[in-house]
Every structure is written in C-alpha cells, then in structure tokens.
C-alpha cells in the first residue's frame, strides 16, 4: 500500500517520527527539533475547557421527517408540508459528571438537537425530563454547585445536594423524576426528550401559540436500577456512548416521535398553571399531544472531537415562525449558551462544520480568533451600504408580545405551589416504580443530617402523604415529625 507522507502542520515532510534529534546518540535533545516542539505544544493544547455542565456526551446525525401538519401554527418552512425532511444532529449527555464520568450515573440527560433547516438552524436544547430543578436562572449556578464537588474535599456530597433541594421546594417535581426509575435510562435510545421550556410558534397571520415539545422514544422506555447501573459502571464507563455508536453501526437506527402541545397566546393569561414555569408540565388532558414528525439517528460522526465535542447548541437558534417565551430560565439560556461557546471553542464556533447551517449565511461579522473560513473575502462589511450587501427582511418580523407590570424582583414562590404535580407523578407510578423511587431516595439521603432529611421529607409528604410516609419510614423518621 502506498502510504502518504507524514508532514508537519505546515505540510513539510517529516523524515523521522520515532527519534528526537540529540547531540550524539546519548546527548541532550536539541531545541532545533521543530517537530518535537510542535508535537508537544499541540498536545498540551488538545483539550478545550469541558462544558461546566453536560460535559460527557454522545452524538449522531440523522433525519427529521414531518408527518403531521402544523403549518397553521408556524410559518417556518420546515413545517410547510407533510413529507418534508431535514438533516439533524443530536447530542445526549449527563449533566453533573465530568468528561470521564460513568454514563450510568443517576442524572438528568441533556437532549440537544440541531435541525439544519432551509431557513437556518433550529436548536432544541432539551432534557430527558419535562421539568427542571429551578425556575429562575439566578439560582442555576447555586444549584449546579450543590451537585458538583465540595470545595474542601473535592468530593460529590449528598448533604450539599439535599441541603439545596430541601430549601428549594420548586425542585420537588424534578427530584421525583430524577430518583424514579427514569433517572437512569438503560440506553440513550430508550429515553424521551422534552423541550421542558415553553417556546412559541407564530404564523403568517401574526398569531402566536405557546408550545412544548416532546420527543418520545420509539424504542420504548427502558431503565436501569441503581444496582444494574453500578455493575455496568464497574466494567464500562462509556456504556451509553458505546451503545449508541454500535446501534447505528449495526443499522439499528433509533427513532423518536416528535409531538407538541399547543396553547393559544391568550390562554396563558388565564390558565390555572403558570405556563412559563419550568418546574411544571401542561397536563395532557388540557393540551393534548399533536403529531409533528419522526426523528431518526442514522449516521455516526467521523471524529468525536470535531463533531461532538465542538457541537454548539443554542436555544436562540430558531428560524422565523419559531420563538422563545417569557420563561425566565429560557431567557437566561438565550445568552448563556452562545456565551459558553465563545469561551470554550471561540468566537467563530458557528462556522465549524457540525454547527454550520446548510443554507447560505450572510452576516457582517468579521475576523476574531481562528477565523478558519474565507472571512467573507472582499464582501462589504458594514450596513447600510450602497453596494448590494445583504439586507433585513421585514416580512419575517415576529409579532409583538404584550408585556405589562413594573420592573422588580418578583418572588417566584408567590402564588406558586410546588407539590401537586410531584404528587401526580408519584400517583401515576406502579407499585414497583414507587418502591424503586423510595429506595433510591432513602439510599441517597441516609447519610444526610437529620434536620435536612426531615425538611425534605416534609416536601414529599406534602406532595402525597403515602410518598412522604414511605420515605420517612425508610429513613427512620417518625410521621409526627413530618405531618
Ligand atoms: P398523563 O397521564 O396524561 O401523562 C403522563 C405522562 O407521564 C406521560 O407522558 C408518560 O410518558 C409519563 N409517565 C408515565 N409514567 C411515568 C413515570 N413512571 N415517570 C415519569 N413519567 C411517566 O398525565 P399528566 O399530563 O396530567 O401528567 C401527570 C404527571 O406525569 C405530571 O405531573 C408529570 O410529572 C408527568 N409527566 C407529564 C408530562 C406532560 O407533558 N404532561 C410529560 C412527562 C411526565 P410516556 O407516555 O412516555 O410513558
């Protein structure tokens, strides 16, 4: 076989890749050994900072096919007619663990999708849970600190976690989800995805609808118990990543049904549940699921770093006809995601192959670190201009959103209750699922100081007396202490 010559990064051929250049066979290494210097220097810079959350992930390309007509809700061309398809990329991740952590840890899973539509990228940066632990982004970094490592010991610490959760009752719904059987998916193919946030759709008539997105696994929900997960982690830290890659290589392409719940704009003012509260779902009986399409993952990346590690999703990527909502956490994520990418992989991250739209891009952004494309050549770089540069299109202006009220720091707990939906979730579980939930909770809380155990168990009891009583019994807390 004719092998191509090995070169330096500048393309000059290399004569020896086995022996560094030394003064005599036993002498010291020479500084003029450029290739040795280049190799070591590049190696030192191989890692970009890992994501502070969602560090460990697995990704694949696929297709999204429209099977249900939602064109009355949105002018986005992707949804113009049944049968339309677009290429997509998905990245699934655990949240709290670092890059080398075990895939089978109990943790929510990120469910990040990028749809390369003809009108630019649509990114859905969801999770495998329909709700979240906090409803105001001001509490996000506090929450994540409580889940990460203790500053003194460098260890994950259940006391930190339960201290935060027990003082943040809005987390109860998500805590119940996390410690249920669904808290450890059997594989990434066997879990649902949810937008969790409320987003919006708007049509050519200027009508806005609030929307929640659901991605239901067509492989069926399958989960792991703590014991099963621990055994797998003992032999394969990369179990989920390996499974997804292997399934796609075998031609077993995982699929998800894509569905939405739709709320007319004005319903938001009177609906009994705060529609922009990230800790709440919209019950299906109020807003039933509507069919949209099928998403299939069918192509593995060629290079993990280039395509999965450098994949940059941002909730603000939405073609005309799709929009955000006043959900406070979503509003903050609109800023924090691109901000993280600029810090982690550089200001030109959007031009990387995995992130780049499949439609033409015409911006007036120029320069910046590692500008690796043509930097728009000699094209005009200011606007307005009289040389025919790209211009705005008023036809795709999002309808105005009515806002009212005084600017203030409003207490997000005022008039909000945190118990009924957590209770609904407990009540829909089978007896086996309830036993798993309680066992998982008791296992995680047993070393936590008594006062925190009691404070948290009161929340479980308020959600459902049976739920709280079972946890109390498991922890040896008397019912009098919590009732
Ligand atoms: P429904 O009975 O109409 O919906 C129940 C939903 O819960 C289904 O989507 C189902 O998803 C999911 N589900 C079923 N079993 C479990 C489980 N053991 N753990 C987690 N999810 C489960 O009732 P509501 O719409 O009134 O919701 C009731 C509760 O269900 C909510 O409080 C919420 O905790 C949970 N839920 C609700 C969702 C929603 O969007 N309304 C979405 C997911 C959960 P599947 O069909 O995949 O089994």
């Amino acid at each position: 076989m004719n092998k191509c010559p090995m070169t330096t990064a500048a393309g000059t051929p290399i004569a020896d890749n086995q022996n560094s250049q030394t003064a005599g066979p036993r002498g010291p290494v020479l500084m003029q050994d450029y290739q040795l210097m280049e190799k070591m220097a590049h190696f030192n810079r191989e890692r970009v900072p890992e994501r502070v959350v969602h560090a460990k992930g697995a990704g694949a390309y696929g297709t999204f096919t429209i099977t249900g007509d939602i064109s009355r809700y949105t002018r986005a061309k992707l949804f113009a007619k049944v049968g339309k398809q677009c290429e997509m990329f998905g990245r699934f991740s655990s949240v709290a663990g670092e890059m080398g952590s075990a895939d089978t840890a109990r943790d929510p899973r990120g469910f990040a999708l990028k749809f390369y539509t003809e009108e630019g990228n649509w990114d859905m940066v969801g999770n495998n849970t329909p709700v979240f632990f906090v409803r105001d982004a001001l509490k996000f970094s506090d929450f994540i600190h409580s889940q990460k490592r203790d500053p003194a010991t460098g260890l994950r610490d259940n006391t930190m976690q339960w201290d935060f959760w027990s003082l943040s009752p809005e987390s109860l719904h998500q805590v119940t989800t996390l410690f249920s059987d669904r808290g450890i998916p059997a594989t990434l193919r066997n879990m649902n995805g949810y937008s969790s946030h409320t987003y919006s759709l708007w049509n050519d008539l200027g009508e806005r609808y609030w929307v929640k997105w659901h991605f239901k696994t067509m492989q069926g929900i399958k989960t792991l118990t703590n014991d099963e997960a621990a055994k797998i982690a003992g032999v394969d830290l990369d179990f989920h990543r390996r499974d997804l890659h292997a399934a796609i290589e075998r031609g077993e392409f995982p699929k998800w049904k894509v569905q939405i719940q739709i709320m007319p704009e004005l319903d938001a003012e009177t609906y009994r549940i705060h529609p922009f509260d990230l800790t709440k779902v919209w019950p299906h009986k109020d807003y039933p699921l509507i069919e949209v399409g099928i998403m299939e993952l069918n192509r593995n990346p060629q290079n993990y770093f280039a395509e999965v590690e450098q994949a940059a999703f941002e909730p603000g990527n939405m073609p005309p006809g799709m929009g955000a909502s006043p959900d406070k956490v979503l509003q903050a994520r609109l800023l924090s995601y691109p901000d993280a990418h600029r810090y982690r992989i550089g200001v030109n991250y959007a031009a990387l192959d995995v992130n780049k739209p499949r439609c033409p891009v015409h911006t007036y952004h120029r320069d910046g670190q590692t500008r690796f494309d043509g930097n728009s050549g000699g094209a005009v770089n200011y606007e307005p201009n009289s040389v025919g540069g790209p211009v705005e299109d008023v036809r795709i202006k999002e309808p105005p959103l009515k806002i009212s009220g005084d600017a203030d720091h409003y207490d997000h707990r005022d008039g909000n209750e945190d118990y009924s939906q957590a209770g609904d979730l407990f009540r829909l579980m089978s007896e086996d699922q309830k036993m798993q939930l309680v066992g998982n909770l008791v296992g995680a809380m047993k070393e936590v100081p008594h006062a925190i155990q009691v404070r948290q168990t009161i929340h479980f009891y308020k959600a459902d007396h049976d739920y709280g009583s079972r946890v109390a019994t498991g922890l040896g807390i008397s019912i009098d202490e919590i009732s």
Side-chain angles (χ1 to χ4, degrees):
M1 191 168 76
N2 258 352
K3 290 188 178 160
C4 65
M6 183 180 172
T7 70
T8 64
T12 55
I14 286 171
D16 190 341
N17 190 42
Q18 315 306 323
N19 308 292
S20 38
Q21 202 179 20
T22 50
R26 296 188 174 191
V29 171
L30 299 184
M31 262 194 87
Q32 68 179 21
D33 189 346
Y34 173 79
Q35 194 213 341
L36 173 67
M37 302 304 159
E38 179 181 279
K39 239 177 138 169
M40 291 197 308
H42 194 277
F43 181 69
N44 283 349
R45 292 162 179 80
E46 274 186 3
R47 296 287 169 273
V48 296
E50 70 172 35
R51 294 163 167 89
V52 68
V53 284
H54 297 277
K56 185 160 184 211
Y61 295 92
T63 46
F64 178 42
T65 309
I66 306 302
T67 57
D69 182 8
I70 60 162
S71 59
R72 63 194 175 283
Y73 303 118
T74 175
R75 62 153 316 287
K77 288 187 183 158
L78 171 63
F79 303 106
K81 65 173 195 289
V82 168
K84 285 198 78 157
Q85 274 199 335
C86 82
E87 187 193 354
M88 51 131 340
F89 180 80
R91 180 180 182 272
F92 307 128
S93 50
S94 50
V95 179
E98 295 87 357
M99 277 279 237
S101 57
D103 278 350
T104 53
R106 182 170 298 284
D107 209 358
R109 297 299 186 283
F111 201 98
L113 310 172
K114 187 181 286 295
F115 299 91
Y116 305 99
T117 92
E118 65 205 89
E119 296 177 292
N121 289 350
W122 165 39
D123 289 1
M124 167 56 58
V125 200
N127 274 334
N128 72 334
T129 60
V131 291
F132 196 62
F133 299 93
V134 296
R135 60 164 80 95
D136 190 320
L138 197 53
K139 299 316 298 170
F140 183 77
S141 55
D142 293 305
F143 161 63
I144 293 295
H145 285 172
S146 77
Q147 306 297 303
K148 290 263 191 182
R149 293 178 184 277
D150 178 280
T153 61
L155 298 169
R156 299 277 297 275
D157 186 316
N158 285 347
T159 297
M160 288 164 64
Q161 302 187 357
W162 289 106
D163 192 25
F164 182 88
W165 283 332
S166 63
L167 291 166
S168 312
E170 65 273 15
S171 64
L172 185 65
H173 193 183
Q174 175 78 325
V175 166
T176 304
T177 310
L178 177 61
F179 285 88
S180 77
D181 55 331
R182 293 200 185 187
I184 313 181
T187 77
L188 300 171
R189 300 177 287 138
N190 294 109
M191 63 184 194
N192 290 341
Y194 304 89
S195 65
S196 312
H197 297 294
T198 298
Y199 286 86
S200 58
L201 294 177
W202 50 275
N203 61 22
D204 276 330
L205 302 173
E207 295 162 335
R208 176 183 282 105
Y209 298 86
W210 304 117
V211 59
K212 281 194 187 277
W213 292 87
H214 300 251
F215 301 82
K216 296 259 189 148
T217 173
M218 292 170 73
Q219 291 67 243
I221 298 272
K222 287 194 189 133
T223 60
L224 297 174
T225 63
N226 277 349
D227 285 348
E228 290 167 334
K231 276 199 194 108
I232 292 171
V235 290
D236 187 0
L237 292 174
D238 303 322
F239 181 71
H240 282 167
R241 191 188 283 180
R242 194 183 312 282
D243 170 83
L244 182 67
H245 189 272
I248 293 174
E249 287 300 297
R250 286 195 303 272
E252 262 175 57
F253 301 142
K255 293 189 178 72
W256 284 262
K257 259 189 223 159
V258 183
Q259 300 170 317
I260 52 172
Q261 290 176 288
I262 280 279
M263 179 189 291
E265 180 170 358
L266 290 182
D267 277 23
E269 289 172 16
T270 52
Y271 186 43
R272 65 192 164 86
I273 296 163
H274 185 343
F276 310 124
D277 176 351
L278 183 54
T279 67
K280 303 279 193 309
V281 295
W282 300 349
H284 294 134
K285 66 177 176 338
D286 295 346
Y287 295 99
L289 293 170
I290 296 171
E291 175 183 348
V292 178
I294 292 186
M295 174 182 109
E296 174 188 276
L297 297 180
N298 49 29
R299 182 162 64 90
N300 277 318
Q302 297 285 303
N303 183 284
Y304 184 85
F305 181 85
E307 294 159 276
V308 185
E309 190 55 12
Q310 294 195 119
F313 302 88
E314 39 194 306
N317 281 351
M318 287 176 286
M322 312 181 83
S325 81
D327 176 332
K328 291 181 199 178
V329 183
L330 173 59
Q331 292 276 324
R333 290 177 83 205
L334 295 174
L335 168 76
S336 68
Y337 277 67
D339 188 42
H341 306 324
R342 287 177 200 117
Y343 161 67
R344 229 171 62 79
I345 41 182
V347 68
N348 289 309
Y349 67 92
L352 290 164
D353 273 349
V354 65
N355 301 324
K356 171 168 96 180
R358 304 309 190 234
C359 65
V361 175
H362 301 292
T363 79
Y364 289 93
H365 304 320
R366 294 293 188 274
D367 309 345
Q369 267 191 342
T370 321
R371 185 80 210 201
F372 51 86
D373 60 4
N375 199 24
S376 299
V380 57
N381 63 354
Y382 57 90
E383 200 279 340
N385 61 67
S386 52
V387 293
V391 289
E392 65 214 22
D393 179 355
V394 292
R395 290 170 305 172
I396 50 153
K397 192 166 144 314
E398 185 167 344
L401 177 66
K402 202 174 273 316
I403 312 256
S404 61
D406 300 331
D408 204 348
H409 295 272
Y410 291 94
D411 183 346
H412 64 82
R413 296 200 175 112
D414 261 2
N416 226 329
E417 66 85 26
D418 299 310
Y419 300 101
S420 62
Q421 292 202 346
D424 290 344
L425 179 55
F426 177 77
R427 288 181 286 275
L428 69 70
M429 290 182 190
S430 65
E431 181 54 29
D432 176 55
Q433 288 172 319
K434 286 179 181 170
M435 282 171 59
Q436 283 194 51
L437 168 69
V438 171
N440 294 335
L441 287 168
V442 170
M445 290 172 73
K446 62 179 187 295
E447 306 296 340
V448 164
H450 183 75
I452 295 178
Q453 287 178 340
V454 171
R455 194 163 64 205
Q456 180 64 39
T457 307
I458 290 171
H459 296 316
F460 297 134
Y461 190 79
K462 283 186 181 171
D464 186 285
H465 285 3
D466 182 27
Y467 184 8
S469 305
R470 289 185 193 215
V471 177
T473 306
L475 291 171
I477 296 171
S478 82
I479 301 300
D480 290 345
E481 268 191 282
I482 57 164
S483 57

